[in-house]
Amino acid sequence: MATFKLSEAGKCTIFKQPTLPACLVFVSNRAMFRYLLLLLFLLGAYSVSAQNLDSLQAIRYQQDSIRYTKLKERMSRSKFSRQVYRLLFRDVYNKSTQGEVNAIDNNPFLPFEGLTIDTIRIRQLDILGQSVYDTNRTGNRLEGFVSRNFHTNTRERIIRKSFLLFKEGDLIDPKVLLDNERLLRANPIILDARILVIPRDEPEGSAELLILIQDVFSFNVSGSFSGFTNFRLGLDNINVAGNAHSHYNAIRWDARDTLQRFQFRSVYTIPYIGKTFITGQASFIWERDLKQQSLRFARPFITSETQYAGAFEMGHYRIQEYKRLVNDADTQFSYPVAFNFYDLWLGRSFKIPFKKWLSDEKTRLVVAFRTNNYSYRERPVVRSDTNRIYWNRQANYLSLGYSNRNYKRDVLIYGFGRTEDVPIGSLFAMTLGQETTQFGERGYGGVQYAIGRYLPKERGYVYALANFGSYFQSGRAQQGVLSGQLNYFSHLLPVGLSNFRQFVTLRYTYGIQRDPLEYLNISNLQGIRGINNDLLIGTKRLTLGLETVLFSWKSILGFRVAHFVFADLGLVNSTRSLWSGPLYQGYGLGVRLRNESLTFNTFQIQFGFYPNLPDASSAWRFRLDGVAPLRLPDFDISAPSIVPLR
């Protein structure tokens, strides 16, 4: 069998753009906060000559290479110690790894356009030790043993039947092959995928497609144990018997819980049903604060060529809500909410008929219709001006928009070495709707605009989003939201044998005529990471997050290491000016470990300092937890949506 190997990439150049370091500063007033914002965006980076940096890298490279070569020699004296060394360490100093951290060519299939697909061959790699970009790479015996005996690869017939956008006899379309690679990588059961085109001499004008697929380990076990009177256990199999189905089960037992001792949840997902690209999911949850029985079928606009999309969901929820009043955060109360619902939407995309309007051939017009119904069985008291989120209602919405979607392949953004498809494009959508409630009818109007681009001269990537939406009744706005978001990450910058990126996130949200039970929080992913404080609430919020991540060359037991420092700043309140409230702050550092071949969340250790949190016993926090990998926002238009207050 022929093997393929990436050619050596060119040497990385030293970064020339400004960086935005996460400075540990304390700010307590409006003027200083504005000064900090100005400082962060105008701060210039130091410059180092490429010649001097190359010399330092060469010295570091030589010293570390000697150190690890000697370690390898000592551990190679017995068969067992050799296997331990190969499991714990990668010989990153004795082979080129630069290709793993460089962006990949945008579309390698263009030279083969129009060839006939004569044969489709699928090769599945071991989950450990191998790579779709270097099939000469092999794992050690222990990695091979684990791959063959503790994991079942996705069945070939499933890949052919449900995962491919083409078949034998089709003509090669570079856009289809590129989209198919991206869709394979987007599937949670697949670590990485690559399609190779092998032209044939006979018959002339034909080619063989070799599809390299590397699964992730399908099992994930989670839980906690505080004795036989209080324990939790979860088992997630994301590739049941190699059929690509996912089944998650979890139980919890707490003998001291007077409301519900035994808790259980089960979620079964079929990613693609046949050739339809429809995902089906059934959920049954019977827990103390959440009881859910639901069924969902969904088909998104998986590529720009997809003409039809939609979803249908129905079910029953019973949630135990824990709330505070936005104007009286010191008082906490709880109440049950139970409702039945259904939600249906259908969408159709069209090519723009006027070619002179086309800035890109992947631009599409999208028309979508949505209808839903919510019928409450349990809820707090509702009136015409109170607790409108719990009204019984039936609504119809119509949206019109355009979407432009392209992707650039990159690495070391939110992943730890896997290929990441970065969305490049824009979208604009307008939504109009009519809602019939138990207190009369009201209209809805909303607009959304988003854009994402790589900046020229390797200055990084910027994503911007603006949203506005509100209900209207008797000419007055109700439950409206105005929000904006700006995300930035820098180019991958070399530091010795490692690489780092700078991340910046700026978000603003303003709630318009919201009820007292509807509010924003700035804890965790909503603003200041590492805390969970339900006193930090309001209807207006502004947050700034800075993070510098150093992706280390180290690999321990297959887990790649990333070090990070962060600074988070946030303002939130409801009745006063946003600038008049205290500026909440969080600063810290930590380390993340992740093995992309496993389904486990990213393992994170974090130390944080929070100087002015209300009702905090200490300003210092330590966290050790699992973090779900983040995903970059896409530019596909789906269901006509209500702008959420979050």
Side-chain angles (χ1 to χ4, degrees):
M1 179 182 295
T3 58
F4 300 85
K5 187 174 182 179
L6 283 182
S7 61
E8 287 191 2
K11 183 172 61 176
C12 283
T13 58
I14 185 172
F15 58 94
K16 298 179 180 179
Q17 67 273 24
T19 59
L20 299 172
C23 300
L24 302 184
V25 294
F26 302 147
V27 187
S28 60
N29 57 47
R30 173 178 175 182
M32 286 298 294
F33 182 68
R34 289 179 174 175
Y35 172 77
L36 177 62
L37 285 176
L38 181 62
L39 179 64
L40 289 170
F41 286 99
L42 296 181
L43 191 63
Y46 57 86
S47 61
V48 182
S49 69
Q51 181 179 359
N52 291 339
L53 182 61
D54 287 344
S55 300
L56 293 173
Q57 285 180 320
I59 295 172
R60 166 85 178 279
Y61 193 103
Q62 183 179 20
Q63 292 174 343
D64 287 343
S65 180
I66 293 172
R67 182 184 305 116
Y68 279 88
T69 298
K70 290 182 177 179
L71 175 63
K72 183 178 181 181
E73 290 175 354
R74 290 196 298 268
M75 297 188 69
S76 298
R77 295 170 184 172
S78 70
K79 183 178 180 180
F80 176 76
S81 61
R82 283 198 302 270
Q83 295 297 324
V84 172
Y85 178 89
R86 294 187 68 186
L87 180 65
L88 293 177
F89 301 101
R90 302 284 182 249
D91 287 331
V92 296
Y93 299 103
N94 301 317
K95 64 179 68 174
S96 173
T97 59
Q98 196 62 57
E100 296 183 12
V101 295
N102 279 333
I104 308 161
D105 181 49
N106 284 332
N107 195 332
F109 307 113
L110 290 173
F112 311 106
E113 184 172 11
L115 295 182
T116 301
I117 301 174
D118 179 67
T119 306
I120 297 175
R121 186 156 51 94
I122 297 173
R123 179 182 172 187
Q124 292 171 289
L125 307 181
D126 290 345
I127 60 172
L128 299 175
Q130 294 188 300
S131 168
V132 299
Y133 295 104
D134 182 1
T135 58
N136 287 325
R137 183 187 301 179
T138 59
N140 58 40
R141 293 182 180 180
L142 181 57
E143 290 173 326
F145 177 79
V146 171
S147 299
R148 290 187 294 271
N149 294 278
F150 294 92
H151 173 76
T152 301
N153 277 330
T154 308
R155 299 183 185 276
E156 183 174 323
R157 63 176 179 84
I158 297 296
I159 296 173
R160 291 181 180 272
K161 179 181 179 181
S162 300
F163 287 18
L164 301 184
L165 299 172
F166 48 81
K167 62 183 183 299
E168 293 175 353
D170 289 351
L171 299 180
I172 290 179
D173 185 334
K175 299 189 299 297
V176 172
L177 266 59
L178 195 65
D179 279 335
N180 213 149
E181 268 195 351
R182 175 180 59 83
L183 292 175
L184 288 169
R185 287 191 293 268
N187 196 305
I189 69 173
I190 294 175
L191 170 64
D192 215 338
R194 189 183 183 193
I195 299 175
L196 299 172
V197 181
I198 308 172
R200 291 184 180 274
D201 295 330
E202 295 291 339
E204 187 178 356
S206 64
E208 174 188 353
L209 296 188
L210 175 60
I211 303 174
L212 302 176
I213 292 179
Q214 187 175 25
D215 284 359
V216 299
F217 188 65
S218 56
F219 288 97
N220 184 14
V221 180
S222 60
S224 61
F225 185 79
S226 301
F228 290 103
T229 60
N230 188 354
F231 62 88
R232 178 176 58 86
L233 177 64
L235 176 62
D236 191 8
N237 185 351
I238 66 170
N239 197 350
V240 179
N243 290 313
H245 296 189
S246 170
H247 195 192
Y248 176 72
N249 292 282
I251 60 172
R252 181 175 181 178
W253 173 260
D254 187 351
R256 294 184 295 271
D257 194 326
T258 58
L259 296 179
Q260 185 174 330
R261 296 179 178 179
F262 179 74
Q263 302 180 52
F264 172 76
R265 71 167 53 197
S266 181
V267 181
Y268 197 90
T269 306
I270 304 175
Y272 298 135
I273 300 175
K275 267 288 190 187
T276 64
F277 287 94
I278 295 175
T279 296
Q281 185 177 82
S283 302
F284 181 83
I285 301 174
W286 195 258
E287 296 177 345
R288 186 180 190 270
D289 295 332
L290 173 62
K291 292 175 174 60
Q292 172 188 343
Q293 304 86 46
S294 64
L295 187 65
R296 185 173 188 268
F297 297 94
R299 183 180 193 263
F301 289 108
I302 55 175
T303 73
S304 59
E305 303 297 325
T306 304
Q307 293 184 337
Y308 294 95
F312 174 74
E313 184 176 6
M314 63 178 297
H316 170 79
Y317 278 77
R318 189 182 189 277
I319 306 169
Q320 190 69 25
E321 295 273 20
Y322 297 89
K323 291 282 190 177
R324 296 179 183 270
L325 295 175
V326 68
N327 297 325
D328 185 14
D330 294 331
T331 303
Q332 184 184 47
F333 53 96
S334 174
Y335 54 88
V337 174
F339 60 90
N340 299 323
F341 78 100
Y342 71 80
D343 196 336
L344 169 70
W345 77 272
L346 295 170
R348 175 72 159 91
S349 72
F350 303 88
K351 291 184 178 181
I352 295 181
F354 306 105
K355 291 186 177 181
K356 65 180 181 179
W357 289 6
L358 283 173
S359 59
D360 188 284
E361 61 180 3
K362 290 192 174 183
T363 302
R364 295 291 185 270
L365 288 174
V366 179
V367 179
F369 170 78
R370 181 179 184 181
T371 182
N372 57 38
N373 182 283
Y374 288 81
S375 178
Y376 285 86
R377 299 292 179 260
E378 296 181 73
R379 58 183 174 175
V381 175
V382 297
R383 291 187 290 270
S384 60
D385 59 351
T386 305
N387 292 332
R388 286 167 286 199
I389 56 175
Y390 302 122
W391 282 355
N392 292 327
R393 59 189 185 272
Q394 196 278 329
N396 298 303
Y397 305 97
L398 182 67
S399 68
L400 174 65
Y402 80 85
S403 172
N404 176 271
R405 300 163 61 189
N406 289 279
Y407 300 89
K408 180 177 180 180
R409 292 178 288 185
D410 210 334
V411 291
L412 298 181
I413 303 171
Y414 296 130
F416 284 66
R418 62 179 171 83
T419 306
E420 299 178 71
D421 297 283
V422 181
I424 301 172
S426 61
L427 72 84
F428 176 79
M430 297 183 298
T431 300
L432 297 174
Q434 184 75 20
E435 185 178 78
T436 302
T437 76
Q438 62 188 100
F439 295 102
E441 295 185 347
R442 58 178 182 170
Y444 181 85
V447 293
Q448 178 186 42
Y449 179 73
I451 186 170
R453 293 284 188 273
Y454 271 96
L455 300 176
K457 299 181 180 180
E458 296 186 337
R459 291 196 176 102
Y461 174 86
V462 172
Y463 170 84
L465 170 68
N467 266 323
F468 171 76
S470 179
Y471 289 99
F472 295 92
Q473 191 173 41
S474 301
R476 300 185 61 185
Q478 295 179 350
Q479 294 179 282
V481 178
L482 173 65
S483 64
Q485 179 175 331
L486 181 68
N487 293 349
Y488 167 83
F489 62 80
S490 70
H491 182 61
L492 194 62
L493 307 172
V495 177
L497 299 175
S498 301
N499 298 270
F500 80 91
R501 288 189 194 269
Q502 176 69 49
F503 295 83
V504 180
T505 302
L506 180 66
R507 289 182 290 190
Y508 173 75
T509 307
Y510 175 55
I512 304 170
Q513 294 297 316
R514 311 300 302 200
D515 287 336
L517 295 178
E518 299 178 278
Y519 48 76
L520 302 160
N521 196 305
I522 59 172
S523 297
N524 286 324
L525 295 179
Q526 304 303 320
I528 300 178
R529 75 198 76 186
I531 64 171
N532 187 13
N533 192 316
D534 56 2
L535 296 177
L536 305 180
I537 60 176
T539 57
K540 297 185 284 287
R541 179 184 62 198
L542 175 65
T543 61
L544 173 67
L546 305 173
E547 182 178 71
T548 302
V549 181
L550 176 70
F551 296 94
S552 173
W553 49 265
K554 297 178 181 178
S555 176
I556 304 175
L557 288 174
F559 286 81
R560 299 189 70 168
V561 181
H563 308 274
F564 66 94
V565 295
F566 70 89
D568 293 329
L569 308 173
L571 295 165
V572 62
N573 60 58
S574 56
T575 58
R576 299 172 296 173
S577 166
L578 183 62
W579 298 98
S580 63
L583 177 66
Y584 298 107
Q585 305 161 60
Y587 310 94
L589 52 84
V591 61
R592 300 184 183 118
L593 297 95
R594 180 172 179 81
N595 188 329
E596 293 285 8
S597 298
L598 304 178
T599 56
F600 303 147
N601 286 337
T602 302
F603 184 71
Q604 177 173 284
I605 303 172
Q606 176 180 301
F607 295 89
F609 176 66
Y610 307 90
N612 62 339
L613 294 182
D615 291 347
S617 58
S618 173
W620 296 94
R621 299 288 178 90
F622 169 77
R623 293 191 65 172
L624 189 156
D625 54 8
V627 180
L630 297 176
R631 298 289 182 182
L632 292 161
D634 208 339
F635 298 100
D636 58 324
I637 295 179
S638 55
S641 59
I642 307 302
V643 180
L645 183 74
R646 64 183 181 194

